[in-house]
Amino acid sequence: MFGFGKGQKFDLIRAPYGRRGSGFYLFEDYYLPLIRLSNTKADSMMSGGDFVFDIKILQYERPVRYYYFADAGSLKMTQYGEVGGTAEIALTDKNMLRIRGNCALRIELRSAREGGGAAACRGVFPFLDGSGTELYFGKHGKMFFKPLEGSVSVEAVYDRAQGKYASCAVLVKPDEETDSFDIAVHEYMSGEFSYGGAYEPFDKVVADNKADFEAFKKNYRPAASGYEEAAEYAMWLIWTHRVNPGGYIKAPMILMHLQWLNACCAWQQSLHAMAMQGNPKEGWRQICALFEHQDERTGKLPGMLFYSGAGAIQAPFQGFALDFLIRKCGDGFLTAEECKRMYPKFAKWANYWTTYRSAGRGDDLIAVNSPHDSGWDDASIFKDGFPCSSPDLIAFLVALMSATARLARGAGEEEAAKEWQGRSDRLLNTLITEFWDGERFISRKKGRPVDSLSLANYQPILLGDRLPRHIIDKIAEKLMIEGELLSPIGLCTESMKSPLCSFVDQFVLGRVVAPANLIITAGLHIAGKTKEASIIARRFCDKLREEGMILGFAPYSRHPLTGEKIRFNQPPAANDPWPWSGWAAGSFMTMATTLVVDE
C-alpha cells in the first residue's frame, strides 16, 4: 500500500512529507520517535536550522509515544495504548495547514542545532479579539495559530541574560464538549495576518489533497511492469516538492529537497521535464520556468533558486531535455508563439556560455574554472585543475545550440536557424576530432588531456544518433563491462578500477548517482542502444524500488580495489545516500516509463 509510517515500506526519516504548493513540510526526527515541522521558505534545513518544531501528543500534560501513517491526503499520528489519542495534519496550497484531533497537542520550537533551543522566536502576540496568536520568527517569517474548535495558547520563556527565548511552545486543547480540536496554522513572510478565505471541512481538505495528487500523476506515462508502486512514490515525491511562485521564485518549480537543500536547482527543472511525457506541454513549461530569471544583459540563468534569492550557474541541460521530449512526444507543444517567445531566451543562454566561458580560441569551444558549472562537482575530469574544457559540458552546449535552431525555425527565423545549426555542427565536430581518443571522450586543461576514468567521459552519448556509429558502439561496449563503471545497481560515476574511486565522502567520484545514470541511459536509448540502456536503467530502478527515491548509492559494502569495508559514518546530507531527492524521483520516472523495455 502506498504510504509512509509504522509497518509501511518507507518511513519519514528519509522522505520528508509535503504537498504541492505548500511551504510546510514534516519529517520524522532522525534520533527521536516524533514528527517535526518546518518550512522551506525559511531556507531552514534539518541539518542546522533553528526553525523546526516538535509535534507532541500529550496525556495528563506529558508527552506520550505515538505512531503515524501518511498518504497524499494527510498525516495521522496515533497514541500507543488503549486511549489512542489522535492528531491529523493536512497541508494545503494556501500558505496554511490544518490540524484536528481528540487529544492535547504541543507544538514546540526546537532548533536542529544543539543548544539552539527556541532561538528562532522573536515575539509572541496574542490577538486581543481572541481570534488567535501570532508568532514572529525574524527572517523565518510569521505564523498565526487560529483555533476553529478547541483552544490555542502559547507558553514562552524569555531569557533576558541571553537576550533570546529559552523556550516556545503552542498548546492545543480539545473543546470540553466535543472532546476534539481543529486549528488552522498560517505562515507568511511579512506584513500583517490576513485571510479572507473560508475554512473548509477538514475531510474536504484531505480529499482535495488526494485529488490534486491524482491530477498531477497525469503528467506521466505508466511505468513499466513491476515498477508501478515505486512510480507512485516517485510521483508523490515530485508533487510534494513542487512549489508555487513566491518570494524570489517566479514560476512553479520543483525543489531538490524539502529538508536538506530546499532549492530549485537549474538543470533539474529540465530533468523533470523529460519524464512529463503524459503532458508534454507541462514538460515544456518546466523547461522554460528558469528563463523567468534570465539576466537580460548577459543571458545568464541562475543555478539555484531559493525563496530568498539565487546563485551560481549550472550546466545548460535545456537543449538535451527538449530534444528528448520531442523525440518521445512530437513537437506539437511548440507553437509558433512559444517558439517566438523562447527563441531569443535560448539564444542568449547559449551565447552566455560562448562569451563568459569561452576557451579563447575564437570559436565556440568553452572552458570552465569551476566543476560546479558542469554538475560533476568532484569528478576526476577536473583533477588537473582549470581552466578545463570537459566533454560533458561541450555536449550539453551542442544540444542547446541545436534546440535554439529548432526554436528559430518555429519562429520563422530561417537564417538564424541555419546559423545556430551550423554552430552546433561545428562544435560537435570539435568534440569528436579533439576530445575523442578512440576509447572515450577526454577533458583538456589548457589543451592537455586529463587522464581520468570518470563516467563523465561518456556523457556526450546524450547527443544520441548525432554521434558517429563507431563512437556509439564503443561507448556502449565500455559501459557494459562489469566491474568497471557497470555495477549491479547501475553505473558508477568513477570506474571501480580507479584508485580515486570512493563511495563515502565524494558525490560523483564513484557513487551510483541518479542524474548521471539518467543522462547516460537516455543518450544510449536515443542512439539506438535500447538494450544496453534498459539493462542499466533496470538495475538502477530496481535499487530505487527497494530503497526509495535516494540520490546515490554505494554498490558494494567493501571497496572493490582494496577490500576495505566501507563505513558510512557521516550524518545524512545532500551528498550521501539518505535523503529522498527530487533528482532521484525525476530520473526514476524517465527511466521506469521510457528506458526500461522488455529484454
Side-chain angles (χ1 to χ4, degrees):
M1 178 173 64
F2 168 74
F4 299 87
K6 180 179 173 58
Q8 303 303 308
K9 187 171 185 178
F10 303 116
D11 58 30
L12 295 177
I13 290 178
R14 293 184 174 182
Y17 180 84
R19 189 238 194 255
R20 182 195 63 79
S22 175
F24 286 115
Y25 66 90
L26 300 143
F27 60 95
E28 184 177 355
D29 187 273
Y30 186 62
Y31 302 103
L32 301 173
L34 52 77
I35 296 295
R36 307 199 74 191
L37 168 71
S38 191
N39 193 300
T40 60
K41 295 179 183 178
D43 295 344
S44 203
M45 299 194 295
M46 176 184 165
S47 55
D50 288 328
F51 192 61
V52 193
F53 299 82
D54 292 340
I55 299 179
K56 301 177 180 180
I57 289 178
L58 304 181
Q59 185 179 12
Y60 306 119
E61 300 183 353
R62 295 177 64 86
V64 294
R65 292 192 64 185
Y66 57 81
Y67 59 94
Y68 65 89
F69 175 80
D71 59 18
S74 65
L75 182 150
K76 188 172 184 178
M77 300 166 286
T78 303
Q79 177 185 348
Y80 284 99
E82 296 180 2
V83 176
T86 64
E88 184 176 7
I89 302 174
L91 307 183
T92 76
D93 62 352
K94 300 178 176 63
N95 302 323
M96 172 184 70
L97 62 78
R98 294 276 295 279
I99 312 177
R100 70 176 174 186
N102 60 4
C103 59
L105 199 67
R106 182 181 179 91
I107 305 171
E108 182 176 347
L109 183 63
R110 177 172 65 89
S111 172
R113 296 180 299 110
E114 186 175 353
C121 187
R122 294 290 186 271
V124 179
F125 306 99
F127 279 28
L128 295 178
D129 63 3
S131 61
T133 299
E134 180 183 80
L135 299 183
Y136 175 52
F137 302 101
K139 67 178 182 179
H140 304 305
K142 303 178 180 181
M143 292 172 67
F144 186 79
F145 291 81
K146 181 177 180 62
L148 307 177
E149 183 182 8
S151 65
V152 170
S153 61
V154 176
E155 290 183 355
V157 177
Y158 188 78
D159 186 331
R160 293 185 180 277
Q162 294 290 324
K164 64 180 182 179
Y165 280 88
S167 64
C168 178
V170 178
L171 301 179
V172 184
K173 294 184 179 181
D175 181 271
E176 292 183 358
E177 294 185 5
T178 63
D179 200 29
S180 62
F181 71 82
D182 184 352
I183 69 169
V185 182
H186 297 262
E187 55 91 359
Y188 41 108
M189 295 304 290
S190 62
E192 302 301 322
F193 171 69
S194 176
Y195 181 70
Y199 292 101
E200 296 176 322
F202 195 97
D203 287 335
K204 185 177 186 307
V205 175
V206 173
D208 287 348
N209 289 347
K210 292 180 178 180
D212 193 87
F213 177 49
E214 291 301 315
F216 183 80
K217 287 160 57 176
K218 294 178 181 178
N219 288 317
Y220 303 93
R221 288 177 173 168
S225 177
Y227 298 101
E228 298 89 349
E229 182 187 63
E232 190 86 0
Y233 283 104
M235 289 184 289
W236 178 87
L237 186 78
I238 298 167
W239 175 72
T240 61
H241 285 56
R242 188 174 182 269
V243 295
N244 287 341
Y248 200 80
I249 299 171
K250 299 179 181 178
M253 296 189 202
I254 298 167
L255 296 171
M256 179 178 175
H257 294 123
L258 293 178
Q259 68 191 109
W260 296 102
L261 180 58
N262 42 33
C264 300
C265 297
W267 60 266
Q268 289 180 39
Q269 307 311 307
S270 296
L271 178 151
H272 282 291
M274 295 170 63
M276 294 179 173
Q277 298 169 32
N279 183 6
K281 186 176 180 181
E282 172 60 17
W284 169 240
R285 188 208 65 75
Q286 189 70 35
I287 291 173
C288 297
L290 202 74
F291 287 90
E292 297 290 328
H293 296 265
Q294 187 169 39
D295 186 304
E296 285 296 321
R297 183 180 63 86
T298 66
K300 176 183 177 181
L301 298 180
M304 288 187 182
L305 293 171
F306 299 88
Y307 186 90
S308 59
I313 69 167
Q314 288 183 339
F317 203 96
Q318 293 80 10
F320 168 53
L322 178 57
D323 175 67
F324 189 86
L325 199 60
I326 290 174
R327 286 173 183 262
K328 294 301 167 186
C329 303
D331 61 0
F333 57 90
L334 282 183
T335 64
E337 291 75 13
E338 280 298 285
C339 290
K340 290 176 182 178
R341 180 175 74 93
M342 293 305 299
Y343 159 60
K345 297 177 182 292
F346 268 60
K348 284 184 177 180
W349 180 222
N351 282 330
Y352 172 85
W353 283 91
T354 58
T355 301
Y356 295 93
R357 298 294 187 273
S358 172
R361 302 194 329 182
D363 59 5
D364 283 331
L365 184 67
I366 58 174
V368 297
N369 287 295
S370 167
H372 303 298
D373 285 5
S374 82
W376 288 87
D377 297 2
D378 45 25
S380 61
I381 56 173
F382 299 116
K383 68 184 180 67
D384 290 351
F386 302 96
C388 180
S389 296
S390 61
D392 58 311
L393 266 177
I394 297 171
F396 271 141
L397 186 56
V398 169
L400 180 64
M401 288 176 168
S402 185
T404 304
R406 169 64 186 83
L407 295 175
R409 283 195 303 274
E413 302 281 350
E414 290 297 336
E415 288 303 314
K418 291 178 182 178
E419 179 183 349
W420 278 108
Q421 193 58 54
R423 289 175 67 179
S424 177
D425 292 342
R426 289 190 294 274
L427 186 58
L428 174 58
N429 183 64
T430 298
L431 177 65
I432 293 168
T433 58
E434 297 185 31
F435 291 83
W436 176 254
D437 72 355
E439 294 290 320
R440 63 189 185 276
F441 288 96
I442 58 170
S443 292
R444 291 185 177 274
K445 182 206 173 183
K446 295 182 178 180
R448 298 190 300 273
V450 178
D451 184 19
S452 163
L453 296 178
S454 173
L455 179 62
N457 292 320
Y458 301 94
Q459 187 166 299
I461 194 65
L462 68 88
L463 296 169
D465 50 19
R466 291 189 66 187
L467 293 173
R469 178 50 53 183
H470 73 277
I471 291 181
I472 293 172
D473 290 343
K474 177 58 71 171
I475 288 177
E477 174 191 330
K478 298 287 284 186
L479 293 177
M480 295 307 294
I481 299 174
E482 299 278 359
E484 291 192 7
L485 287 163
L486 184 61
S487 80
I489 62 171
L491 293 169
C492 295
T493 45
E494 178 81 6
S495 171
M496 290 176 280
K497 297 291 180 70
S498 167
L500 298 176
C501 181
S502 171
F503 302 135
V504 182
D505 297 320
Q506 283 71 32
F507 175 38
V508 283
L509 196 58
R511 290 183 189 228
V512 180
V513 178
N517 276 263
L518 166 68
I519 294 167
I520 297 293
T521 54
L524 287 170
H525 183 87
I526 63 178
K529 297 292 184 178
T530 55
K531 179 181 178 181
E532 290 86 347
S534 181
I535 290 172
I536 298 167
R538 187 178 291 275
R539 291 186 183 192
F540 190 70
C541 288
D542 285 348
K543 184 66 172 177
L544 292 181
R545 179 170 57 185
E546 295 306 312
E547 301 288 343
M549 301 300 128
I550 295 171
L551 181 58
F553 303 91
Y556 302 105
S557 60
R558 293 184 178 275
H559 197 284
L561 277 184
T562 65
E564 182 181 357
K565 185 174 178 59
I566 297 168
R567 292 178 173 83
F568 296 99
N569 55 7
Q570 61 186 29
N575 70 338
D576 85 36
W578 284 96
W580 278 41
S581 163
W583 273 8
S587 299
F588 174 87
M589 287 307 298
T590 296
M591 287 190 278
T593 63
T594 309
L595 306 181
V596 172
V597 297
D598 291 333
E599 297 179 11

